[in-house]
Amino acid sequence: MDLREFDAVVERMRLAFDYVDNLGQYVEAAKLLYQMNDLLPDDLSLSLEELDDPESAKSFVLKYHDELKSAIVNYRQRLMMC
């Protein structure tokens, strides 16, 4: 995947994430975090814990959102250098 394709996919996912996060649909937001994480190469992807309890979805989203944003930025920088 090149930078342009990656940016397009991540932007769509980010918009969807923002939408469901703003609506308080944290289970859906967590699913999007998993999907974004799957786009990253193994050395940058996070080891996300399983989300077994929908009640813990909000804390899951809060815990991993910033870490994932950072990993995405790192991957974008790597793609720009290719």
Side-chain angles (χ1 to χ4, degrees), residues 65-81:
H65 181 251
D66 288 339
E67 289 180 56
L68 188 58
K69 280 177 38 178
S70 178
I72 288 170
V73 168
N74 288 337
Y75 187 51
R76 283 192 79 257
Q77 288 173 345
R78 185 184 295 178
L79 288 174
M80 285 191 290
M81 291 181 189

Side-chain angles (χ1 to χ4, degrees), residues 13 30-40 48 68:
M13 289 179 162
K31 289 178 186 177
L32 285 162
L33 290 181
Y34 281 117
Q35 291 173 356
M36 285 188 260
N37 193 53
D38 286 343
L39 293 174
L40 298 173
L48 300 177
L68 188 58

